[in-house]
Amino acid sequence: LMDTPAGLEHLGRGLGRGFSDIIAVSEPTAQALRTACRTAELAGELGVQTKMLVINKIRNDEEFRASREILGDEHPFSEVFRLPYDESLRGGTGLPDLSVTEKSSLAEAISGIATLLMKKDGE
């Protein structure tokens, strides 16, 4: 598992070599989504087989649809997930407790993605 800063430099230096999967996290802007696609392409050049995308800070269904339109049908990702915008994370002093009993939509989305990834890993 490797968490990297945003951008392409880390893959340009070959840091993803030997990894089987990549999960790119992108905001729902055209520039960010283009960068995520380029990240997936570079990862593929390093031999990464499975490339997934998480589009973060989605405010509504229309914004997700618009993001998918920007990606187009020929994007390099096997899966595209979404995480909703969560106002409680804005300007906070740290991450909120996502394990509380009253699950937020963000916590539920993260849990759903994690469940799918664990199922894939177990196949």
Side-chain angles (χ1 to χ4, degrees):
L1 179 64
M2 176 174 62
D3 183 13
T4 65
L8 303 172
E9 180 181 343
H10 51 283
L11 289 172
R13 291 184 287 155
L15 292 177
R17 195 175 316 281
F19 283 77
S20 60
D21 303 346
I22 187 172
I23 302 172
V25 179
S26 174
E27 293 197 8
T29 66
Q31 181 177 353
L33 291 165
R34 283 192 297 270
T35 299
C37 287
R38 183 66 185 129
T39 297
E41 291 164 3
L42 285 171
E45 292 172 13
L46 295 174
V48 176
Q49 297 296 311
T50 304
K51 296 164 283 291
M52 295 167 275
L53 174 65
V54 174
I55 305 175
N56 194 18
K57 301 179 184 176
I58 296 290
R59 293 181 185 269
N60 53 49
D61 289 340
E62 180 54 39
E63 188 170 51
F64 186 63
R65 275 192 294 278
S67 297
R68 294 297 304 247
E69 285 177 21
I70 291 167
L71 288 173
D73 294 333
E74 301 298 319
H75 62 77
F77 301 103
S78 60
E79 302 275 351
V80 178
F81 302 105
R82 68 191 272 179
L83 290 178
Y85 179 82
D86 188 327
E87 184 67 35
S88 70
L89 296 178
R90 186 170 181 226
T93 58
L95 290 175
D97 182 2
L98 295 177
S99 65
V100 294
T101 305
E102 288 184 39
K103 291 223 178 225
S104 69
S105 59
L106 176 60
E108 289 177 8
I110 291 170
S111 177
I113 292 170
T115 299
L116 286 172
L117 294 175
M118 288 188 299
K119 284 181 183 176
K120 284 179 178 260
D121 192 44
E123 292 179 339

Coordinates of all heavy atoms in Angstrom, one line a residue, residues 41-123:
E41 N -2.8 5.8 -16.8 CA -2.1 5.4 -18.0 C -0.6 5.1 -17.6 O 0.0 4.1 -18.1 CB -2.1 6.5 -19.1 CG -3.5 6.6 -19.7 CD -3.7 7.9 -20.5 OE1 -2.8 8.7 -20.6 OE2 -4.8 8.1 -21.0
L42 N 0.0 6.0 -16.8 CA 1.4 5.8 -16.4 C 1.5 4.5 -15.5 O 2.4 3.8 -15.6 CB 1.8 7.0 -15.6 CG 2.2 8.3 -16.3 CD1 2.4 9.4 -15.4 CD2 3.4 8.0 -17.2
A43 N 0.5 4.3 -14.7 CA 0.5 3.1 -13.9 C 0.4 1.9 -14.8 O 1.1 0.9 -14.5 CB -0.7 3.1 -12.9
G44 N -0.4 1.9 -15.8 CA -0.4 0.8 -16.8 C 0.9 0.5 -17.4 O 1.3 -0.6 -17.6
E45 N 1.7 1.6 -17.7 CA 3.0 1.5 -18.3 C 4.0 0.8 -17.3 O 5.0 0.2 -17.7 CB 3.5 2.8 -18.7 CG 2.8 3.4 -19.9 CD 3.2 4.9 -20.2 OE1 4.2 5.4 -19.7 OE2 2.4 5.5 -21.0
L46 N 3.7 0.9 -16.0 CA 4.5 0.3 -15.0 C 4.1 -1.1 -14.7 O 4.7 -1.7 -13.8 CB 4.5 1.2 -13.7 CG 5.2 2.5 -13.8 CD1 4.9 3.3 -12.5 CD2 6.6 2.4 -14.2
G47 N 3.1 -1.6 -15.4 CA 2.6 -2.9 -15.2 C 1.4 -3.1 -14.2 O 1.0 -4.2 -13.9
V48 N 0.9 -2.0 -13.7 CA -0.3 -2.1 -12.8 C -1.5 -2.5 -13.7 O -1.8 -1.9 -14.7 CB -0.6 -0.7 -12.2 CG1 -1.9 -0.8 -11.3 CG2 0.6 -0.3 -11.3
Q49 N -2.1 -3.6 -13.2 CA -3.2 -4.2 -14.0 C -4.6 -3.6 -13.7 O -5.3 -3.4 -14.7 CB -3.3 -5.7 -13.7 CG -2.0 -6.5 -14.1 CD -1.8 -6.5 -15.6 OE1 -2.8 -6.7 -16.4 NE2 -0.7 -6.1 -16.1
T50 N -4.9 -3.4 -12.5 CA -6.2 -2.9 -12.1 C -6.1 -1.4 -11.7 O -5.4 -1.1 -10.8 CB -6.8 -3.7 -11.0 OG1 -6.8 -5.1 -11.3 CG2 -8.2 -3.3 -10.6
K51 N -6.9 -0.6 -12.4 CA -6.9 0.8 -12.2 C -8.3 1.3 -11.8 O -9.2 1.1 -12.6 CB -6.3 1.6 -13.4 CG -4.9 1.2 -13.6 CD -4.4 1.6 -15.0 CE -4.8 0.7 -16.1 NZ -4.3 -0.6 -16.2
M52 N -8.5 1.8 -10.6 CA -9.8 2.2 -10.2 C -9.7 3.7 -9.8 O -8.7 4.3 -9.6 CB -10.2 1.5 -8.9 CG -10.4 0.0 -9.2 SD -10.5 -1.0 -7.7 CE -8.7 -1.2 -7.3
L53 N -10.9 4.4 -9.9 CA -11.0 5.8 -9.6 C -12.1 6.0 -8.6 O -13.2 5.5 -8.6 CB -11.4 6.5 -10.9 CG -11.7 8.0 -10.8 CD1 -10.5 8.8 -10.4 CD2 -12.3 8.6 -12.1
V54 N -11.7 6.9 -7.6 CA -12.7 7.4 -6.7 C -12.8 8.9 -6.9 O -11.8 9.6 -6.9 CB -12.2 7.2 -5.2 CG1 -13.2 7.8 -4.2 CG2 -12.1 5.7 -4.9
I55 N -14.0 9.3 -7.3 CA -14.3 10.8 -7.5 C -14.8 11.3 -6.2 O -15.9 10.8 -5.7 CB -15.3 11.0 -8.6 CG1 -14.8 10.3 -9.9 CG2 -15.4 12.5 -8.9 CD1 -15.8 10.4 -11.1
N56 N -14.1 12.2 -5.6 CA -14.3 12.7 -4.2 C -15.1 14.0 -4.3 O -15.0 14.7 -5.3 CB -13.0 12.9 -3.6 CG -13.1 13.1 -2.1 OD1 -14.0 12.8 -1.4 ND2 -12.0 13.6 -1.5
K57 N -15.8 14.3 -3.2 CA -16.5 15.6 -3.0 C -17.6 15.8 -4.0 O -17.8 16.9 -4.5 CB -15.5 16.8 -3.1 CG -14.4 16.7 -2.0 CD -13.5 17.9 -2.1 CE -12.3 17.7 -1.1 NZ -11.4 18.8 -1.3
I58 N -18.4 14.7 -4.3 CA -19.5 14.8 -5.2 C -20.7 15.4 -4.4 O -21.1 14.8 -3.4 CB -19.9 13.4 -5.8 CG1 -18.7 12.9 -6.7 CG2 -21.2 13.4 -6.5 CD1 -18.5 13.6 -8.0
R59 N -21.2 16.5 -4.9 CA -22.4 17.1 -4.3 C -23.7 16.6 -4.6 O -24.7 16.7 -3.8 CB -22.3 18.6 -4.5 CG -21.1 19.3 -3.9 CD -21.1 20.8 -4.2 NE -19.9 21.4 -3.7 CZ -19.8 22.0 -2.5 NH1 -20.8 21.9 -1.6 NH2 -18.6 22.5 -2.1
N60 N -23.9 16.0 -5.8 CA -25.2 15.5 -6.3 C -25.0 14.6 -7.5 O -23.9 14.5 -8.0 CB -26.1 16.7 -6.6 CG -25.6 17.7 -7.6 OD1 -25.0 17.3 -8.6 ND2 -25.6 18.9 -7.2
D61 N -26.1 14.0 -7.9 CA -26.1 13.0 -9.0 C -25.6 13.7 -10.3 O -24.9 13.1 -11.1 CB -27.4 12.4 -9.2 CG -27.8 11.4 -8.1 OD1 -26.8 10.9 -7.4 OD2 -28.9 11.1 -7.9
E62 N -26.1 14.9 -10.5 CA -25.7 15.7 -11.7 C -24.2 15.9 -11.8 O -23.6 15.7 -12.9 CB -26.4 17.0 -11.8 CG -26.1 17.8 -13.0 CD -26.3 17.0 -14.3 OE1 -27.3 16.3 -14.5 OE2 -25.5 17.2 -15.2
E63 N -23.6 16.2 -10.7 CA -22.1 16.4 -10.7 C -21.4 15.1 -11.0 O -20.4 15.1 -11.7 CB -21.7 17.0 -9.3 CG -20.2 17.4 -9.3 CD -19.8 18.2 -8.1 OE1 -20.1 17.7 -7.0 OE2 -19.2 19.2 -8.2
F64 N -21.9 14.0 -10.5 CA -21.3 12.7 -10.8 C -21.5 12.4 -12.3 O -20.5 11.9 -12.9 CB -21.9 11.6 -9.9 CG -21.2 10.3 -10.1 CD1 -19.9 10.1 -9.8 CD2 -21.9 9.2 -10.6 CE1 -19.3 8.9 -9.9 CE2 -21.3 8.0 -10.7 CZ -20.0 7.8 -10.4
R65 N -22.7 12.6 -12.8 CA -22.9 12.4 -14.3 C -22.0 13.2 -15.1 O -21.4 12.8 -16.1 CB -24.4 12.7 -14.6 CG -25.3 11.5 -14.4 CD -26.7 11.7 -15.0 NE -27.4 12.8 -14.4 CZ -28.1 12.7 -13.3 NH1 -28.2 11.6 -12.7 NH2 -28.7 13.8 -12.9
A66 N -21.8 14.5 -14.7 CA -20.9 15.4 -15.5 C -19.5 14.9 -15.4 O -18.7 14.9 -16.4 CB -21.0 16.8 -14.9
S67 N -19.1 14.4 -14.3 CA -17.7 13.8 -14.1 C -17.5 12.6 -15.0 O -16.5 12.5 -15.7 CB -17.5 13.4 -12.7 OG -17.5 14.6 -11.8
R68 N -18.6 11.8 -15.1 CA -18.5 10.6 -15.9 C -18.4 11.0 -17.4 O -17.8 10.3 -18.2 CB -19.7 9.7 -15.7 CG -19.8 9.0 -14.3 CD -18.7 8.1 -14.0 NE -18.5 7.0 -15.0 CZ -18.7 5.7 -14.8 NH1 -19.1 5.3 -13.6 NH2 -18.6 4.9 -15.8
E69 N -19.1 12.1 -17.8 CA -19.1 12.6 -19.1 C -17.7 13.1 -19.5 O -17.2 12.8 -20.6 CB -20.1 13.7 -19.4 CG -21.5 13.1 -19.5 CD -22.6 14.3 -19.6 OE1 -22.2 15.4 -20.0 OE2 -23.7 14.0 -19.3
I70 N -17.0 13.7 -18.5 CA -15.7 14.2 -18.7 C -14.8 13.0 -19.0 O -13.9 13.0 -19.9 CB -15.2 15.0 -17.6 CG1 -15.9 16.4 -17.5 CG2 -13.7 15.3 -17.6 CD1 -15.8 17.1 -16.2
L71 N -14.9 11.9 -18.2 CA -14.1 10.7 -18.4 C -14.4 10.1 -19.7 O -13.4 9.6 -20.3 CB -14.4 9.7 -17.3 CG -14.0 10.0 -15.9 CD1 -14.5 9.0 -14.9 CD2 -12.5 10.1 -15.8
G72 N -15.6 10.1 -20.2 CA -15.9 9.5 -21.5 C -16.0 8.0 -21.3 O -15.8 7.4 -20.2
D73 N -16.3 7.3 -22.4 CA -16.5 5.8 -22.4 C -15.2 5.1 -22.4 O -15.2 3.9 -22.1 CB -17.4 5.4 -23.5 CG -18.8 5.9 -23.4 OD1 -19.3 6.2 -22.2 OD2 -19.5 6.1 -24.4
E74 N -14.2 5.7 -22.9 CA -12.9 5.0 -23.1 C -11.9 5.3 -22.0 O -10.7 5.2 -22.2 CB -12.3 5.4 -24.4 CG -13.2 5.1 -25.6 CD -13.5 3.6 -25.8 OE1 -12.5 2.8 -25.6 OE2 -14.6 3.3 -26.0
H75 N -12.3 5.6 -20.8 CA -11.4 5.9 -19.7 C -10.7 4.6 -19.3 O -11.1 3.5 -19.6 CB -12.1 6.5 -18.5 CG -13.2 5.6 -17.9 ND1 -12.9 4.6 -17.1 CD2 -14.5 5.7 -18.0 CE1 -14.0 4.0 -16.7 NE2 -15.0 4.6 -17.3
P76 N -9.5 4.7 -18.6 CA -8.7 3.6 -18.3 C -9.1 2.8 -17.0 O -8.3 1.9 -16.6 CB -7.3 4.2 -18.1 CG -7.6 5.6 -17.6 CD -8.8 6.0 -18.3
F77 N -10.2 3.1 -16.4 CA -10.5 2.5 -15.1 C -11.5 1.4 -15.2 O -12.5 1.4 -15.9 CB -11.1 3.6 -14.2 CG -10.2 4.8 -14.0 CD1 -10.4 6.0 -14.7 CD2 -9.1 4.7 -13.1 CE1 -9.6 7.1 -14.5 CE2 -8.3 5.8 -13.0 CZ -8.5 7.0 -13.6
S78 N -11.2 0.3 -14.4 CA -12.1 -0.8 -14.3 C -13.3 -0.5 -13.5 O -14.4 -1.1 -13.7 CB -11.4 -2.1 -13.8 OG -10.9 -1.8 -12.5
E79 N -13.2 0.4 -12.5 CA -14.3 0.8 -11.6 C -14.2 2.3 -11.3 O -13.1 2.8 -11.2 CB -14.1 0.1 -10.2 CG -14.1 -1.4 -10.3 CD -15.5 -2.0 -10.3 OE1 -16.5 -1.3 -10.1 OE2 -15.6 -3.3 -10.5
V80 N -15.3 2.9 -11.2 CA -15.4 4.3 -10.9 C -16.4 4.4 -9.7 O -17.5 4.1 -9.8 CB -15.9 5.2 -12.0 CG1 -16.0 6.7 -11.6 CG2 -15.0 5.1 -13.2
F81 N -15.8 4.9 -8.6 CA -16.6 5.1 -7.4 C -16.8 6.6 -7.1 O -16.1 7.4 -7.7 CB -15.9 4.5 -6.2 CG -15.5 3.0 -6.3 CD1 -14.2 2.6 -6.6 CD2 -16.5 2.0 -6.2 CE1 -13.9 1.3 -6.7 CE2 -16.2 0.7 -6.3 CZ -14.9 0.3 -6.6
R82 N -17.7 6.8 -6.2 CA -17.9 8.2 -5.8 C -18.0 8.4 -4.3 O -18.4 7.4 -3.6 CB -19.2 8.7 -6.4 CG -20.5 8.1 -5.8 CD -21.7 8.4 -6.6 NE -22.4 9.6 -6.1 CZ -23.5 10.1 -6.6 NH1 -24.1 9.5 -7.6 NH2 -24.0 11.2 -6.2
L83 N -17.5 9.5 -3.8 CA -17.6 9.8 -2.4 C -18.3 11.2 -2.3 O -18.0 12.1 -3.0 CB -16.2 10.0 -1.7 CG -15.5 8.7 -1.5 CD1 -14.1 9.0 -0.9 CD2 -16.3 7.7 -0.7
P84 N -19.3 11.3 -1.5 CA -20.1 12.5 -1.4 C -19.3 13.6 -0.6 O -18.4 13.3 0.2 CB -21.3 12.1 -0.6 CG -20.9 11.0 0.3 CD -19.9 10.2 -0.6
Y85 N -19.6 14.8 -1.0 CA -19.0 16.0 -0.3 C -19.6 16.0 1.1 O -20.7 15.7 1.4 CB -19.5 17.3 -1.0 CG -18.9 18.5 -0.3 CD1 -17.7 19.0 -0.5 CD2 -19.7 19.2 0.6 CE1 -17.2 20.1 0.1 CE2 -19.2 20.4 1.2 CZ -18.0 20.8 1.0 OH -17.5 21.9 1.6
D86 N -18.7 16.2 2.1 CA -19.1 16.2 3.5 C -18.7 17.6 4.1 O -17.5 17.8 4.3 CB -18.5 15.1 4.2 CG -19.0 14.9 5.6 OD1 -19.4 15.9 6.3 OD2 -19.1 13.7 6.1
E87 N -19.6 18.4 4.4 CA -19.4 19.7 4.9 C -18.6 19.7 6.3 O -17.8 20.6 6.6 CB -20.7 20.5 5.1 CG -20.5 21.9 5.6 CD -19.8 22.8 4.6 OE1 -20.1 22.7 3.4 OE2 -19.1 23.7 5.0
S88 N -18.7 18.6 7.0 CA -18.1 18.5 8.3 C -16.6 18.4 8.2 O -15.8 18.6 9.1 CB -18.6 17.3 9.1 OG -18.2 16.1 8.5
L89 N -16.1 18.1 7.0 CA -14.6 18.0 6.8 C -14.0 19.3 6.4 O -12.8 19.5 6.4 CB -14.3 17.0 5.7 CG -14.7 15.5 6.0 CD1 -14.4 14.6 4.8 CD2 -14.0 15.0 7.2
R90 N -14.8 20.3 6.0 CA -14.4 21.6 5.6 C -13.8 22.4 6.7 O -14.5 22.7 7.7 CB -15.5 22.3 4.9 CG -15.0 23.6 4.3 CD -16.1 24.2 3.5 NE -15.6 25.4 2.9 CZ -16.2 26.6 2.9 NH1 -17.4 26.7 3.4 NH2 -15.7 27.6 2.4
G91 N -12.5 22.7 6.6 CA -11.9 23.6 7.6 C -11.7 23.0 9.0 O -11.5 23.8 9.9
G92 N -11.9 21.8 9.1 CA -11.8 21.2 10.4 C -10.4 21.0 10.9 O -9.5 21.2 10.2
T93 N -10.3 20.6 12.1 CA -8.9 20.5 12.7 C -8.5 19.0 12.6 O -7.4 18.7 13.1 CB -8.9 20.9 14.2 OG1 -9.9 20.1 14.9 CG2 -9.2 22.4 14.3
G94 N -9.3 18.2 12.1 CA -8.9 16.8 11.9 C -10.1 16.0 11.3 O -11.2 16.6 11.1
L95 N -9.9 14.8 11.1 CA -10.9 13.9 10.5 C -12.0 13.6 11.5 O -11.7 13.3 12.7 CB -10.4 12.6 9.9 CG -9.5 12.8 8.7 CD1 -8.9 11.4 8.3 CD2 -10.3 13.3 7.5
P96 N -13.3 13.6 11.2 CA -14.3 13.2 12.1 C -14.3 11.7 12.3 O -13.7 11.0 11.5 CB -15.6 13.7 11.4 CG -15.3 13.6 9.9 CD -13.8 14.0 9.9
D97 N -14.9 11.3 13.4 CA -14.9 9.8 13.6 C -16.0 9.2 12.7 O -17.2 9.5 12.8 CB -15.4 9.6 15.1 CG -15.4 8.1 15.4 OD1 -15.1 7.3 14.6 OD2 -15.7 7.8 16.6
L98 N -15.5 8.5 11.7 CA -16.4 7.9 10.7 C -17.0 6.6 11.2 O -17.7 5.9 10.5 CB -15.7 7.7 9.4 CG -15.2 9.0 8.7 CD1 -14.5 8.7 7.4 CD2 -16.4 9.9 8.4
S99 N -16.6 6.2 12.4 CA -17.1 4.9 12.9 C -18.3 5.1 13.9 O -18.7 4.1 14.5 CB -16.0 4.1 13.6 OG -15.6 4.9 14.8
V100 N -18.8 6.3 14.0 CA -19.9 6.5 14.9 C -21.2 5.7 14.5 O -21.3 5.3 13.3 CB -20.3 8.0 15.0 CG1 -19.1 8.8 15.6 CG2 -20.6 8.6 13.6
T101 N -22.1 5.5 15.4 CA -23.3 4.7 15.1 C -24.1 5.4 14.0 O -24.6 4.7 13.1 CB -24.1 4.6 16.4 OG1 -23.3 4.0 17.4 CG2 -25.3 3.7 16.2
E102 N -24.3 6.7 14.1 CA -25.1 7.4 13.1 C -24.1 7.6 11.9 O -23.4 8.5 11.9 CB -25.6 8.7 13.6 CG -26.7 8.6 14.5 CD -27.2 10.0 14.9 OE1 -27.3 10.9 14.0 OE2 -27.5 10.2 16.1
K103 N -24.2 6.7 10.9 CA -23.3 6.8 9.8 C -23.6 7.9 8.9 O -24.8 8.1 8.5 CB -23.3 5.5 9.0 CG -22.7 4.3 9.8 CD -21.8 3.5 8.9 CE -21.1 2.5 9.7 NZ -19.8 2.3 9.4
S104 N -22.6 8.6 8.5 CA -22.8 9.7 7.5 C -22.8 9.0 6.1 O -22.4 7.9 5.9 CB -21.7 10.7 7.6 OG -20.5 10.2 7.1
S105 N -23.3 9.8 5.1 CA -23.3 9.3 3.7 C -21.8 9.0 3.3 O -21.6 8.1 2.5 CB -24.0 10.2 2.8 OG -23.4 11.5 2.8
L106 N -20.9 9.8 3.8 CA -19.5 9.6 3.4 C -19.0 8.3 4.0 O -18.4 7.5 3.4 CB -18.7 10.8 3.9 CG -17.2 10.7 3.7 CD1 -16.8 10.5 2.2 CD2 -16.4 11.9 4.3
A107 N -19.3 8.1 5.3 CA -18.9 6.8 6.0 C -19.5 5.6 5.3 O -18.8 4.6 5.1 CB -19.2 6.9 7.4
E108 N -20.7 5.7 4.9 CA -21.4 4.6 4.2 C -20.7 4.3 2.8 O -20.5 3.2 2.4 CB -22.9 4.9 4.1 CG -23.6 4.8 5.4 CD -25.1 5.1 5.3 OE1 -25.6 5.3 4.2 OE2 -25.7 5.2 6.3
A109 N -20.4 5.4 2.1 CA -19.8 5.3 0.8 C -18.4 4.6 0.9 O -18.0 3.7 0.2 CB -19.7 6.6 0.1
I110 N -17.6 5.1 1.9 CA -16.3 4.5 2.2 C -16.4 3.0 2.5 O -15.7 2.2 2.0 CB -15.5 5.3 3.3 CG1 -15.2 6.7 2.7 CG2 -14.3 4.5 3.7 CD1 -14.7 7.6 3.8
S111 N -17.3 2.7 3.4 CA -17.6 1.3 3.8 C -17.9 0.5 2.6 O -17.5 -0.7 2.4 CB -18.6 1.3 4.9 OG -18.9 -0.1 5.2
G112 N -18.8 1.0 1.7 CA -19.2 0.3 0.5 C -18.0 0.0 -0.4 O -17.9 -1.1 -0.9
I113 N -17.2 1.0 -0.6 CA -16.0 0.8 -1.5 C -15.1 -0.2 -0.9 O -14.6 -1.1 -1.5 CB -15.3 2.1 -1.7 CG1 -16.2 3.1 -2.6 CG2 -14.0 1.9 -2.4 CD1 -15.7 4.5 -2.7
A114 N -14.9 -0.1 0.4 CA -14.0 -1.0 1.1 C -14.5 -2.5 1.0 O -13.7 -3.4 0.8 CB -13.8 -0.6 2.6
T115 N -15.8 -2.7 1.2 CA -16.4 -4.0 1.1 C -16.2 -4.6 -0.3 O -15.8 -5.7 -0.5 CB -17.9 -3.9 1.4 OG1 -18.0 -3.5 2.8 CG2 -18.5 -5.3 1.2
L116 N -16.4 -3.8 -1.4 CA -16.2 -4.2 -2.7 C -14.7 -4.6 -3.0 O -14.4 -5.6 -3.6 CB -16.6 -3.1 -3.7 CG -18.1 -2.9 -3.9 CD1 -18.4 -1.7 -4.8 CD2 -18.7 -4.2 -4.6
L117 N -13.8 -3.8 -2.5 CA -12.4 -4.1 -2.7 C -12.0 -5.3 -2.0 O -11.2 -6.1 -2.5 CB -11.6 -2.9 -2.2 CG -11.7 -1.6 -3.1 CD1 -10.9 -0.4 -2.4 CD2 -11.4 -1.8 -4.5
M118 N -12.5 -5.5 -0.8 CA -12.1 -6.8 0.0 C -12.7 -8.0 -0.7 O -12.0 -9.0 -0.8 CB -12.6 -6.7 1.4 CG -11.8 -5.7 2.2 SD -12.2 -5.7 4.0 CE -13.9 -5.2 4.1
K119 N -13.9 -7.9 -1.3 CA -14.5 -9.0 -2.0 C -13.6 -9.3 -3.3 O -13.3 -10.5 -3.6 CB -15.9 -8.7 -2.5 CG -16.9 -8.8 -1.4 CD -18.3 -8.6 -1.9 CE -19.3 -8.6 -0.8 NZ -20.6 -8.2 -1.2
K120 N -13.2 -8.3 -4.0 CA -12.3 -8.5 -5.1 C -11.0 -9.2 -4.7 O -10.5 -10.0 -5.4 CB -12.0 -7.2 -5.8 CG -13.1 -6.6 -6.6 CD -12.6 -5.3 -7.2 CE -13.7 -4.7 -8.1 NZ -13.5 -5.0 -9.5
D121 N -10.4 -8.8 -3.6 CA -9.2 -9.3 -3.1 C -9.3 -10.8 -2.8 O -8.4 -11.5 -2.9 CB -8.7 -8.5 -1.9 CG -7.2 -8.8 -1.6 OD1 -6.4 -8.9 -2.5 OD2 -6.9 -9.0 -0.4
G122 N -10.5 -11.2 -2.3 CA -10.8 -12.5 -1.9 C -11.1 -13.5 -3.0 O -11.2 -14.7 -2.9
E123 N -11.2 -13.0 -4.2 CA -11.6 -13.8 -5.4 C -10.4 -14.7 -5.8 O -9.3 -14.4 -5.7 CB -12.1 -12.9 -6.6 CG -13.4 -12.3 -6.3 CD -13.8 -11.4 -7.5 OE1 -13.0 -11.0 -8.3 OE2 -15.1 -11.1 -7.5

